[in-house]
Coordinates of all heavy atoms in Angstrom, one line a residue:
M282 N 0.8 -1.2 0.0 CA 0.0 0.0 0.0 C 0.9 1.3 0.0 O 0.5 2.2 -0.7 CB -0.9 0.0 1.2 CG -1.8 1.3 1.3 SD -3.1 1.1 2.5 CE -2.7 2.4 3.6
G283 N 2.0 1.3 0.7 CA 2.8 2.5 0.8 C 3.3 3.0 -0.5 O 3.3 4.3 -0.6
K284 N 3.7 2.2 -1.4 CA 4.2 2.7 -2.7 C 3.2 3.3 -3.6 O 3.5 4.0 -4.5 CB 5.0 1.5 -3.4 CG 6.2 1.1 -2.6 CD 7.1 0.3 -3.4 CE 8.3 -0.1 -2.6 NZ 9.5 0.0 -3.2
T285 N 1.9 2.9 -3.4 CA 0.9 3.5 -4.3 C 0.0 4.5 -3.5 O -1.0 5.0 -4.1 CB 0.0 2.4 -4.8 OG1 -0.6 1.6 -3.8 CG2 0.8 1.4 -5.7
L286 N 0.3 4.8 -2.3 CA -0.5 5.7 -1.5 C -0.6 7.0 -2.2 O -1.7 7.7 -2.1 CB 0.0 5.8 -0.1 CG -0.8 6.7 0.9 CD1 -2.2 6.1 1.1 CD2 0.0 6.7 2.2
Y287 N 0.5 7.5 -2.8 CA 0.4 8.8 -3.4 C -0.7 8.9 -4.5 O -1.2 9.9 -4.7 CB 1.8 9.1 -4.0 CG 2.2 8.3 -5.3 CD1 1.8 8.8 -6.5 CD2 2.8 7.1 -5.1 CE1 2.1 8.0 -7.6 CE2 3.1 6.4 -6.3 CZ 2.8 6.8 -7.5 OH 3.1 6.1 -8.6
K288 N -1.0 7.8 -5.2 CA -2.0 7.8 -6.2 C -3.4 8.1 -5.6 O -4.1 8.8 -6.2 CB -2.1 6.4 -6.9 CG -0.9 6.1 -7.8 CD -1.0 4.8 -8.5 CE 0.3 4.5 -9.3 NZ 0.2 3.2 -10.0
T289 N -3.6 7.6 -4.4 CA -4.9 7.9 -3.8 C -5.0 9.4 -3.5 O -6.0 10.0 -3.7 CB -5.0 7.2 -2.4 OG1 -4.9 5.8 -2.7 CG2 -6.3 7.5 -1.7
W290 N -3.9 10.0 -3.1 CA -3.9 11.4 -2.8 C -3.8 12.3 -4.0 O -3.8 13.6 -3.9 CB -2.7 11.7 -1.8 CG -3.1 11.2 -0.4 CD1 -2.8 10.0 0.1 CD2 -4.0 11.8 0.5 NE1 -3.4 9.8 1.3 CE2 -4.1 10.9 1.6 CE3 -4.6 13.0 0.6 CZ2 -4.9 11.2 2.7 CZ3 -5.4 13.3 1.7 CH2 -5.5 12.4 2.8
Q291 N -3.8 11.7 -5.2 CA -3.9 12.5 -6.4 C -5.3 12.6 -6.9 O -5.6 13.3 -7.9 CB -2.9 11.9 -7.5 CG -1.5 12.2 -7.1 CD -0.6 11.6 -8.2 OE1 -0.6 10.4 -8.4 NE2 0.2 12.4 -8.8
E292 N -6.2 11.9 -6.3 CA -7.6 11.9 -6.6 C -8.2 13.3 -6.2 O -7.8 13.9 -5.2 CB -8.4 10.8 -6.0 CG -7.9 9.4 -6.5 CD -8.5 8.3 -5.7 OE1 -9.3 8.5 -4.8 OE2 -8.1 7.1 -6.0
A293 N -9.2 13.7 -6.9 CA -9.8 15.1 -6.7 C -10.2 15.3 -5.2 O -10.0 16.4 -4.7 CB -10.9 15.3 -7.6
D294 N -10.9 14.3 -4.7 CA -11.4 14.5 -3.3 C -10.3 14.6 -2.3 O -10.3 15.4 -1.3 CB -12.4 13.5 -2.9 CG -11.9 12.1 -3.0 OD1 -11.0 11.8 -3.8 OD2 -12.4 11.2 -2.3
H295 N -9.2 13.9 -2.5 CA -8.1 13.9 -1.6 C -7.2 15.2 -1.8 O -6.7 15.8 -0.9 CB -7.2 12.7 -1.8 CG -7.8 11.5 -1.1 ND1 -8.6 10.6 -1.9 CD2 -7.7 11.0 0.1 CE1 -9.0 9.6 -1.0 NE2 -8.5 9.9 0.2
L296 N -7.1 15.7 -3.1 CA -6.4 16.9 -3.3 C -7.2 18.1 -2.6 O -6.6 19.0 -2.1 CB -6.3 17.2 -4.8 CG -5.4 16.3 -5.6 CD1 -5.5 16.5 -7.1 CD2 -3.9 16.5 -5.2
A297 N -8.5 18.0 -2.7 CA -9.3 19.0 -2.0 C -9.1 19.0 -0.5 O -9.0 20.0 0.2 CB -10.8 18.8 -2.3
M298 N -8.9 17.8 0.1 CA -8.6 17.7 1.5 C -7.2 18.3 1.8 O -7.1 19.0 2.8 CB -8.6 16.2 1.9 CG -8.6 15.9 3.4 SD -8.7 14.2 3.8 CE -10.2 13.7 3.0
L299 N -6.2 18.0 1.0 CA -4.9 18.6 1.2 C -5.0 20.1 1.1 O -4.4 20.8 2.0 CB -3.9 18.1 0.1 CG -3.5 16.6 0.1 CD1 -2.7 16.3 -1.1 CD2 -2.8 16.3 1.4
Q300 N -5.7 20.6 0.2 CA -5.9 22.0 0.0 C -6.5 22.6 1.3 O -6.1 23.7 1.8 CB -6.7 22.4 -1.2 CG -6.8 23.8 -1.5 CD -7.4 24.1 -2.8 OE1 -7.5 23.3 -3.7 NE2 -7.9 25.3 -3.0
G301 N -7.5 21.9 1.8 CA -8.2 22.4 3.0 C -7.3 22.4 4.2 O -7.4 23.4 5.0
W302 N -6.5 21.4 4.4 CA -5.6 21.4 5.5 C -4.6 22.5 5.4 O -4.3 23.1 6.4 CB -4.9 20.0 5.5 CG -5.7 18.9 6.0 CD1 -6.9 18.9 6.8 CD2 -5.5 17.5 5.7 NE1 -7.4 17.7 7.0 CE2 -6.5 16.8 6.4 CE3 -4.5 16.8 5.0 CZ2 -6.6 15.4 6.3 CZ3 -4.6 15.4 5.0 CH2 -5.7 14.7 5.6
A303 N -4.1 22.7 4.2 CA -3.1 23.9 4.0 C -3.9 25.2 4.3 O -3.3 26.1 4.9 CB -2.6 23.8 2.6
H304 N -5.1 25.3 3.8 CA -5.9 26.5 4.1 C -6.1 26.7 5.6 O -6.1 27.9 6.0 CB -7.2 26.4 3.3 CG -8.1 27.6 3.6 ND1 -9.0 27.6 4.6 CD2 -8.2 28.8 3.0 CE1 -9.7 28.7 4.6 NE2 -9.2 29.5 3.6
D305 N -6.3 25.6 6.3 CA -6.5 25.7 7.7 C -5.2 26.0 8.5 O -5.3 26.2 9.7 CB -7.1 24.4 8.3 CG -8.6 24.2 7.8 OD1 -9.2 25.2 7.3 OD2 -9.1 23.1 7.9
G306 N -4.1 26.1 7.8 CA -2.9 26.5 8.5 C -2.1 25.3 9.0 O -1.1 25.5 9.7
L307 N -2.4 24.1 8.6 CA -1.6 22.9 9.1 C -0.2 23.0 8.5 O -0.1 23.4 7.3 CB -2.3 21.6 8.8 CG -3.3 21.1 9.8 CD1 -4.5 22.0 9.9 CD2 -3.7 19.7 9.4
T308 N 0.7 22.6 9.2 CA 2.1 22.5 8.7 C 2.3 21.2 7.9 O 1.4 20.3 7.9 CB 3.1 22.4 9.9 OG1 2.9 21.2 10.6 CG2 3.0 23.6 10.9
D309 N 3.4 21.2 7.1 CA 3.6 20.0 6.4 C 3.7 18.7 7.3 O 3.3 17.7 6.9 CB 4.9 20.1 5.6 CG 4.7 21.0 4.3 OD1 3.6 21.3 4.0 OD2 5.8 21.3 3.7
E310 N 4.3 18.9 8.4 CA 4.4 17.8 9.4 C 3.0 17.3 9.8 O 2.8 16.1 9.9 CB 5.2 18.2 10.6 CG 5.6 17.1 11.5 CD 6.6 17.4 12.6 OE1 7.2 18.5 12.5 OE2 6.8 16.6 13.5
Q311 N 2.1 18.2 10.1 CA 0.8 17.8 10.5 C 0.0 17.2 9.3 O -0.7 16.2 9.5 CB 0.0 19.1 11.0 CG 0.5 19.6 12.3 CD 0.0 21.0 12.6 OE1 -0.2 21.8 11.7 NE2 -0.3 21.2 13.9
I312 N 0.2 17.7 8.1 CA -0.5 17.1 7.0 C 0.1 15.7 6.7 O -0.7 14.8 6.5 CB -0.3 18.0 5.7 CG1 -1.1 19.3 5.9 CG2 -0.7 17.3 4.5 CD1 -0.8 20.4 4.9
A313 N 1.4 15.6 6.8 CA 2.0 14.2 6.6 C 1.4 13.3 7.7 O 1.1 12.1 7.3 CB 3.5 14.3 6.7
H314 N 1.3 13.7 8.9 CA 0.8 12.9 10.0 C -0.7 12.5 9.6 O -1.0 11.3 9.8 CB 0.8 13.6 11.3 CG 0.1 12.9 12.4 ND1 0.7 11.8 13.1 CD2 -1.1 13.0 13.0 CE1 -0.1 11.3 14.0 NE2 -1.2 12.1 13.9
N315 N -1.5 13.4 9.1 CA -2.9 13.1 8.7 C -2.9 12.0 7.6 O -3.8 11.2 7.6 CB -3.6 14.4 8.3 CG -3.9 15.3 9.5 OD1 -3.7 14.9 10.6 ND2 -4.4 16.5 9.1
I316 N -2.0 12.1 6.7 CA -2.0 11.1 5.6 C -1.4 9.8 6.1 O -1.8 8.7 5.6 CB -1.0 11.7 4.5 CG1 -1.6 12.9 3.9 CG2 -0.8 10.6 3.4 CD1 -0.7 13.6 2.9
G317 N -0.6 9.8 7.1 CA 0.0 8.6 7.6 C 1.4 8.3 7.0 O 1.8 7.2 6.8
I318 N 2.1 9.4 6.6 CA 3.4 9.3 6.0 C 4.4 10.2 6.8 O 4.0 11.0 7.7 CB 3.4 9.7 4.5 CG1 2.9 11.2 4.4 CG2 2.6 8.8 3.7 CD1 3.1 11.7 3.0
R319 N 5.7 10.1 6.5 CA 6.7 11.0 7.1 C 6.7 12.3 6.4 O 6.3 12.4 5.2 CB 8.0 10.3 7.1 CG 8.1 9.1 7.9 CD 9.4 8.4 7.8 NE 9.4 7.2 8.5 CZ 10.5 6.6 9.0 NH1 11.7 7.1 8.8 NH2 10.4 5.5 9.7
R320 N 7.2 13.3 7.1 CA 7.3 14.7 6.5 C 8.2 14.6 5.2 O 7.9 15.2 4.2 CB 7.8 15.6 7.5 CG 8.0 17.1 7.0 CD 8.5 18.0 8.1 NE 9.5 17.4 9.0 CZ 10.8 17.5 8.8 NH1 11.3 18.2 7.8 NH2 11.6 17.0 9.6
T321 N 9.3 13.8 5.3 CA 10.2 13.7 4.2 C 9.5 13.1 2.9 O 9.8 13.5 1.8 CB 11.4 13.0 4.5 OG1 11.1 11.7 5.1 CG2 12.3 13.7 5.6
T322 N 8.6 12.2 3.2 CA 7.8 11.6 2.1 C 6.9 12.6 1.4 O 6.8 12.7 0.2 CB 7.0 10.4 2.6 OG1 7.9 9.4 3.1 CG2 6.2 9.8 1.5
L323 N 6.3 13.5 2.3 CA 5.5 14.5 1.7 C 6.3 15.5 0.9 O 5.9 15.9 -0.2 CB 4.7 15.3 2.8 CG 3.8 16.4 2.4 CD1 2.7 15.9 1.5 CD2 3.2 17.2 3.6
Y324 N 7.5 15.8 1.3 CA 8.4 16.7 0.5 C 8.7 16.0 -0.8 O 8.7 16.7 -1.9 CB 9.7 17.0 1.3 CG 9.5 17.9 2.5 CD1 10.4 17.8 3.5 CD2 8.5 18.8 2.6 CE1 10.3 18.6 4.6 CE2 8.3 19.6 3.6 CZ 9.2 19.5 4.7 OH 9.1 20.4 5.8
D325 N 9.0 14.7 -0.8 CA 9.2 14.0 -2.1 C 8.0 14.0 -3.0 O 8.1 14.2 -4.2 CB 9.6 12.5 -1.8 CG 11.0 12.3 -1.2 OD1 11.8 13.3 -1.3 OD2 11.2 11.3 -0.6
W326 N 6.8 13.8 -2.4 CA 5.6 13.9 -3.2 C 5.4 15.3 -3.9 O 5.0 15.4 -5.0 CB 4.4 13.6 -2.3 CG 4.2 12.2 -2.0 CD1 5.0 11.1 -2.1 CD2 3.0 11.6 -1.3 NE1 4.5 10.0 -1.6 CE2 3.3 10.3 -1.1 CE3 1.9 12.2 -0.8 CZ2 2.4 9.4 -0.5 CZ3 0.9 11.4 -0.2 CH2 1.2 10.0 -0.1
K327 N 5.7 16.3 -3.1 CA 5.6 17.7 -3.6 C 6.5 17.9 -4.8 O 6.2 18.6 -5.7 CB 5.8 18.7 -2.5 CG 4.7 18.8 -1.5 CD 5.0 19.5 -0.2 CE 5.5 20.9 -0.3 NZ 5.6 21.5 1.0
K328 N 7.7 17.3 -4.7 CA 8.7 17.4 -5.8 C 8.3 16.6 -7.0 O 8.5 17.1 -8.2 CB 10.1 17.0 -5.4 CG 10.7 17.9 -4.4 CD 12.1 17.3 -4.0 CE 12.7 18.0 -2.8 NZ 13.9 17.4 -2.3
R329 N 7.7 15.5 -6.8 CA 7.4 14.5 -7.9 C 6.0 14.7 -8.6 O 5.8 14.4 -9.7 CB 7.5 13.1 -7.4 CG 8.9 12.7 -7.1 CD 8.9 11.2 -6.6 NE 10.3 10.9 -6.2 CZ 10.6 9.7 -5.9 NH1 9.8 8.7 -6.1 NH2 11.9 9.4 -5.5
Y330 N 5.1 15.2 -7.8 CA 3.7 15.2 -8.2 C 3.1 16.6 -8.1 O 2.7 17.1 -7.1 CB 2.8 14.2 -7.4 CG 3.5 12.9 -7.3 CD1 4.0 12.4 -6.1 CD2 3.6 12.1 -8.5 CE1 4.6 11.1 -6.1 CE2 4.2 10.8 -8.4 CZ 4.7 10.4 -7.2 OH 5.3 9.2 -7.2
P331 N 3.2 17.3 -9.3 CA 2.7 18.8 -9.3 C 1.3 19.0 -8.8 O 1.1 20.0 -8.1 CB 2.8 19.1 -10.8 CG 3.7 18.2 -11.4 CD 3.6 16.9 -10.6
D332 N 0.4 18.0 -9.0 CA -0.9 18.2 -8.5 C -1.0 18.3 -7.0 O -1.8 19.1 -6.4 CB -1.9 17.2 -9.0 CG -1.4 15.8 -8.9 OD1 -0.2 15.6 -8.5 OD2 -2.2 14.8 -9.2
I333 N -0.2 17.5 -6.3 CA -0.1 17.5 -4.8 C 0.5 18.9 -4.4 O 0.0 19.5 -3.5 CB 0.6 16.3 -4.3 CG1 -0.2 15.0 -4.5 CG2 0.9 16.5 -2.8 CD1 0.5 13.7 -4.1
A334 N 1.6 19.2 -5.0 CA 2.3 20.5 -4.7 C 1.3 21.7 -4.9 O 1.3 22.6 -4.1 CB 3.5 20.6 -5.5
D335 N 0.6 21.7 -6.0 CA -0.3 22.8 -6.3 C -1.4 22.9 -5.3 O -1.8 24.0 -4.9 CB -0.9 22.6 -7.7 CG 0.2 22.8 -8.8 OD1 1.3 23.4 -8.5 OD2 -0.1 22.5 -10.0
A336 N -2.0 21.7 -4.9 CA -3.1 21.8 -3.9 C -2.6 22.4 -2.6 O -3.3 23.2 -2.0 CB -3.6 20.3 -3.7
L337 N -1.4 22.0 -2.2 CA -0.9 22.5 -0.9 C -0.6 24.0 -1.1 O -0.9 24.8 -0.2 CB 0.3 21.7 -0.5 CG 0.0 20.3 -0.1 CD1 1.3 19.5 0.1 CD2 -0.8 20.2 1.2
K338 N 0.0 24.3 -2.2 CA 0.4 25.7 -2.4 C -0.8 26.6 -2.5 O -0.9 27.7 -1.9 CB 1.2 25.8 -3.7 CG 1.7 27.2 -4.0 CD 2.5 27.2 -5.3 CE 2.9 28.7 -5.7 NZ 3.6 28.7 -6.9
H339 N -1.8 26.2 -3.2 CA -3.0 27.0 -3.4 C -3.7 27.2 -2.0 O -4.2 28.3 -1.7 CB -4.0 26.4 -4.4 CG -5.2 27.2 -4.6 ND1 -5.2 28.4 -5.3 CD2 -6.5 27.0 -4.3 CE1 -6.4 28.9 -5.3 NE2 -7.2 28.1 -4.7
G340 N -3.8 26.1 -1.3 CA -4.5 26.2 0.0 C -3.7 27.2 0.9 O -4.3 28.0 1.7
K341 N -2.4 27.2 0.9 CA -1.6 28.1 1.7 C -1.8 29.5 1.2 O -1.9 30.5 2.0 CB -0.1 27.7 1.7 CG 0.8 28.6 2.4 CD 1.5 27.9 3.5 CE 2.5 28.8 4.2 NZ 1.9 29.8 5.1
E342 N -1.8 29.7 -0.1 CA -1.9 31.1 -0.6 C -3.2 31.7 -0.2 O -3.3 32.9 0.2 CB -1.8 31.1 -2.2 CG -0.4 30.8 -2.7 CD -0.4 30.6 -4.2 OE1 -1.4 30.5 -4.8 OE2 0.8 30.6 -4.7
V343 N -4.3 30.9 -0.3 CA -5.6 31.4 0.1 C -5.6 31.8 1.6 O -6.1 32.9 2.0 CB -6.7 30.4 -0.2 CG1 -8.1 30.8 0.5 CG2 -6.9 30.2 -1.7
S344 N -5.0 30.9 2.4 CA -4.9 31.2 3.8 C -4.1 32.4 4.1 O -4.5 33.3 4.9 CB -4.3 30.0 4.5 OG -4.1 30.2 5.9
D345 N -3.0 32.6 3.4 CA -2.1 33.8 3.6 C -2.9 35.0 3.2 O -2.8 36.1 3.9 CB -0.8 33.7 2.8 CG 0.1 32.6 3.4 OD1 -0.1 32.2 4.6 OD2 1.1 32.3 2.7
Y346 N -3.6 35.0 2.1 CA -4.3 36.2 1.6 C -5.4 36.6 2.6 O -5.6 37.7 3.0 CB -5.0 35.9 0.3 CG -5.9 37.0 -0.2 CD1 -5.3 38.1 -0.8 CD2 -7.2 36.9 -0.1 CE1 -6.2 39.2 -1.2 CE2 -8.1 37.9 -0.5 CZ -7.5 39.0 -1.1 OH -8.4 40.0 -1.5
E347 N -6.1 35.6 3.1 CA -7.2 35.9 4.1 C -6.6 36.4 5.4 O -7.2 37.4 6.0 CB -8.0 34.6 4.4 CG -8.9 34.2 3.3 CD -9.5 32.8 3.5 OE1 -9.2 32.1 4.5 OE2 -10.4 32.5 2.7
S348 N -5.5 35.9 5.8 CA -4.8 36.5 7.0 C -4.4 37.9 6.8 O -4.6 38.8 7.7 CB -3.6 35.6 7.4 OG -3.9 34.3 7.7
K349 N -3.8 38.2 5.7 CA -3.4 39.6 5.4 C -4.6 40.5 5.3 O -4.5 41.6 5.8 CB -2.6 39.6 4.1 CG -1.2 39.0 4.2 CD -0.5 39.0 2.8 CE 0.8 38.3 2.9 NZ 1.5 38.2 1.7
T350 N -5.6 40.1 4.7 CA -6.9 40.9 4.6 C -7.4 41.2 5.9 O -7.8 42.3 6.2 CB -7.9 40.2 3.7 OG1 -7.3 39.9 2.4 CG2 -9.1 41.0 3.5
T351 N -7.5 40.2 6.8 CA -8.0 40.4 8.1 C -7.1 41.4 8.9 O -7.6 42.2 9.6 CB -8.0 39.0 8.9 OG1 -8.9 38.1 8.2 CG2 -8.5 39.2 10.3
L352 N -5.8 41.3 8.8 CA -4.9 42.2 9.5 C -5.1 43.6 9.0 O -5.0 44.6 9.8 CB -3.4 41.8 9.3 CG -3.0 40.5 10.1 CD1 -1.6 40.1 9.7 CD2 -3.1 40.8 11.6
L353 N -5.3 43.8 7.7 CA -5.4 45.1 7.2 C -6.8 45.8 7.6 O -6.9 47.0 7.7 CB -5.3 45.1 5.7 CG -4.0 44.8 5.1 CD1 -4.0 44.6 3.6 CD2 -3.0 45.9 5.5
Q354 N -7.8 45.0 7.9 CA -9.1 45.5 8.3 C -9.1 45.9 9.7 O -10.0 46.6 10.2 CB -10.1 44.4 8.0 CG -10.4 44.2 6.5 CD -11.4 43.1 6.3 OE1 -11.8 42.4 7.2 NE2 -11.7 42.9 5.0
T355 N -8.2 45.5 10.5 CA -8.2 45.8 12.0 C -7.5 47.1 12.2 O -6.8 47.7 11.5 CB -7.5 44.7 12.8 OG1 -6.2 44.5 12.4 CG2 -8.3 43.5 12.8

């Protein structure tokens, strides 16, 4: 299962979950824990699989934008 686990996380519903976790501010270590892999494995996935990297990046960008907007409104 371990060698094909990344394929499961490339499915649309799982990519949305990754994006949501990144949006919620989870660290790579926390996301890796949620998946059941090591942080270094998540880094490898981000390098090898652009869809996984993009989901995490987009979730983080949205979270960062919302944080900045909130700070500017106060």
Side-chain angles (χ1 to χ4, degrees):
M282 179 167 118
K284 292 191 182 229
T285 60
L286 183 61
Y287 71 91
K288 290 180 182 179
T289 300
W290 287 93
Q291 289 179 300
E292 296 171 1
D294 57 335
H295 285 94
L296 290 171
M298 192 178 303
L299 292 173
Q300 186 173 341
W302 287 336
H304 177 267
D305 290 344
L307 272 66
T308 65
D309 283 350
E310 187 168 350
Q311 291 169 320
I312 292 170
H314 175 78
N315 287 352
I316 296 171
I318 59 174
R319 295 178 184 203
R320 181 177 39 92
T321 55
T322 301
L323 182 59
Y324 291 153
D325 288 341
W326 286 10
K327 287 166 56 174
K328 289 178 191 173
R329 293 181 184 192
Y330 310 111
D332 48 352
I333 290 175
D335 289 346
L337 293 168
K338 181 179 177 183
H339 183 70
K341 175 116 175 82
E342 287 172 351
V343 170
S344 178
D345 288 349
Y346 174 79
E347 289 174 351
S348 295
K349 288 176 186 176
T350 302
T351 301
L352 287 172
L353 291 174
Q354 291 175 352
T355 57

